[in-house]
Amino acid sequence: MGCGGVGRQLLQHIVSCRSLHAKQEIHLRVVGVCDSKSLVVASDVFTRELNDKFLSEVCRVKSNGLSLSKLAEFDECLIYSNSESKRKVIDIAALLGKSTGLAFVDCSASYETIAVLNRVVDLGCCIVMANKKPLTSTLEDYDKLYSYPRRIRHESTVGAGLPVIASLNRILLSGDPVHCIIGSLSGTLGYVMSEVEDGKPLSEVVKTAKSLGFTEPDPRDDLSGMDVARKALILARLLGRRINLDNIKIESLYPDEMRPDVMSVEEFLANGIKLLDNDVEERVKKASLKGNVLRYVCVIEGSRCEVGIQELSKTSPLGRLRGSDNVLEVYSRCYNEQPLVIQGAGAGNDTTAAGVLADILDIQDLFP
């Protein structure tokens, strides 16, 4: 579900890994692909699949911004649209769920997949997610998705391909209580913070990040801290915290008068963001005088769950962070004086899709 950058990259990974997987006697049979408007499925979901040539064509069509309906000329597929597609998805889940370990893979960025995921989980299907929205919706939706915890994987919702969720689950299942998590979980904000540390104005750094493709088309989507807050909520709920987004303290890097509904992105980049330079520069200097640096981090400790700028020691794993890498420090009974540190590339379609593929393969081990 979802044919954007991550979804297309996942299909390309599946195709390119055929020979590798064949050596391990694994074959991933893709029986359907859908976007927000259409569903394409194999003509017989019991015995057939969307072959590699067809999957490559899906990627080409979607890369050009076209509809999946353009694939109607292919004999091996059936195409459904709108509400009809949702009914067909549920039908396929009922047919294949418990018997085959059918996996629904959510690579969208939408809340609209939640209703489908809630239905298919009861039909015996596995769920793999790169989409953070379902896991950061209501606690009722979260509990429903996690009603069969062995059948859900969502590593890519927090650190792209980094083993964050798997590591935390191993610690928790061993009976080792996690009492604190501190992490830099935004490649964009990690890059911004390490660059302003070098004395560059925030406005210049953000414009450079945008030109490099590190930010969303409107950089305020990153600077608001909401993406980090969603990741923090996923981690907090994994630790057993019964909270919602409203319970998280979120520091935005821009004031309310620069919100997207008040100021256009063009005005923000041309004039608005320059007004933030002095304040950030002053905070960087104050931290430096104490031997510290500024990082945009999430902190989960006790009842505290917040995201924002923190002063950290230059010698800490987070303080040493440069560029767009992600870093997570996990403190528990066993990892007390020296935390478990997970670091690496935490963004990008390629890395995220690789994490999704690893989750799909991992979850298939549940089925003979």
Side-chain angles (χ1 to χ4, degrees):
M1 298 188 290
C3 297
V6 174
R8 295 195 303 272
Q9 191 68 57
L10 173 62
L11 294 178
Q12 291 168 16
H13 277 327
I14 290 173
V15 171
S16 66
C17 288
R18 288 297 190 199
S19 59
L20 172 66
H21 293 163
K23 293 176 183 177
Q24 302 172 53
E25 299 183 348
I26 295 170
H27 180 80
L28 294 180
R29 188 163 63 95
V30 181
V31 296
V33 177
C34 68
D35 58 18
S36 59
K37 297 179 181 178
S38 304
L39 165 71
V40 179
V41 296
S43 55
D44 181 352
V45 295
F46 282 105
T47 61
R48 304 192 66 180
E49 65 184 313
L50 301 177
N51 63 39
D52 292 352
K53 180 181 178 182
F54 183 86
L55 295 179
S56 297
E57 187 65 13
V58 168
C59 293
R60 186 192 69 80
V61 166
K62 293 306 298 182
S63 293
N64 292 329
L66 302 175
S67 167
L68 289 176
S69 62
K70 295 290 183 182
L71 300 167
E73 62 193 67
F74 288 82
D75 293 335
E76 64 261 37
C77 74
L78 301 172
I79 298 180
Y80 302 88
S81 298
N82 300 322
S83 60
E84 186 183 19
S85 68
K86 292 181 180 178
R87 287 196 299 272
K88 186 62 180 178
V89 161
I90 301 302
D91 289 345
I92 294 171
L95 288 170
L96 300 181
K98 291 180 180 177
S99 61
T100 67
L102 179 69
F104 274 76
V105 184
D106 187 355
C107 290
S108 74
S110 171
Y111 282 108
E112 294 182 9
T113 60
I114 296 174
V116 171
L117 295 175
N118 283 345
R119 288 285 303 278
V120 302
V121 74
D122 277 338
L123 295 170
C125 297
C126 300
I127 296 173
V128 176
M129 285 180 283
N131 181 11
K132 291 180 280 292
K133 302 287 179 64
L135 293 172
T136 56
S137 181
T138 65
L139 279 167
E140 181 182 5
D141 285 330
Y142 181 85
D143 290 342
K144 182 66 176 178
L145 292 174
Y146 252 102
S147 55
Y148 302 95
R150 286 175 55 79
R151 298 209 303 259
I152 183 172
R153 299 288 186 278
H154 56 93
E155 195 68 77
S156 296
T157 59
V158 174
L162 293 176
V164 173
I165 304 299
S167 299
L168 279 174
N169 274 329
R170 286 175 63 87
I171 292 172
L172 295 169
L173 289 172
S174 74
D176 183 10
V178 173
H179 56 81
C180 181
I181 293 176
I182 305 175
S184 176
L185 296 174
S186 166
T188 302
L189 292 175
Y191 171 83
V192 168
M193 289 293 103
S194 61
E195 290 293 295
V196 296
E197 179 190 337
D198 292 338
K200 298 174 185 176
L202 176 69
S203 56
E204 287 185 17
V205 172
V206 170
K207 289 174 186 176
T208 301
K210 187 174 188 297
S211 70
L212 293 171
F214 287 172
T215 75
E216 295 295 327
D218 185 342
R220 286 170 295 185
D221 290 347
D222 300 291
L223 300 176
S224 69
M226 184 55 70
D227 184 61
V228 179
R230 292 189 194 284
K231 294 177 180 181
L233 179 58
I234 290 170
L235 294 177
R237 286 179 168 179
L238 195 66
L239 299 186
R241 311 292 195 270
R242 303 291 290 173
I243 61 173
N244 293 304
L245 272 176
D246 292 344
N247 304 119
I248 299 178
K249 182 181 177 182
I250 305 171
E251 178 184 0
S252 173
L253 297 190
Y254 59 86
D256 283 348
E257 54 265 29
M258 295 185 191
R259 294 193 323 264
D261 59 335
V262 176
M263 181 182 289
S264 70
V265 62
E266 293 79 14
E267 176 67 13
F268 176 72
L269 290 172
N271 301 305
I273 194 169
K274 293 178 183 177
L275 301 176
L276 308 177
D277 285 347
N278 289 340
D279 179 61
V280 172
E281 181 183 3
E282 189 64 26
R283 292 178 73 173
V284 169
K285 287 180 178 177
K286 285 183 178 179
S288 181
L289 289 173
K290 293 181 278 186
N292 294 333
V293 293
L294 300 181
R295 294 291 182 261
Y296 195 97
V297 300
C298 76
V299 179
I300 305 165
E301 186 173 20
S303 61
R304 175 188 178 200
C305 187
E306 59 186 59
V307 300
I309 295 177
Q310 299 269 341
E311 278 192 32
L312 299 165
S313 169
K314 285 183 180 180
T315 60
S316 69
L318 282 160
R320 295 194 301 269
L321 180 66
R322 303 294 299 176
S324 59
D325 277 4
N326 285 2
V327 174
L328 196 76
E329 298 178 13
V330 180
Y331 294 83
S332 68
R333 186 186 67 242
C334 295
Y335 298 96
N336 191 17
E337 296 299 323
Q338 293 295 327
L340 172 67
V341 178
I342 304 168
Q343 179 173 355
N349 293 337
D350 189 11
T351 307
T352 303
V356 173
L357 179 55
D359 273 350
I360 294 170
L361 293 168
D362 180 58
I363 213 165
Q364 294 306 306
D365 288 342
L366 298 175
F367 296 89

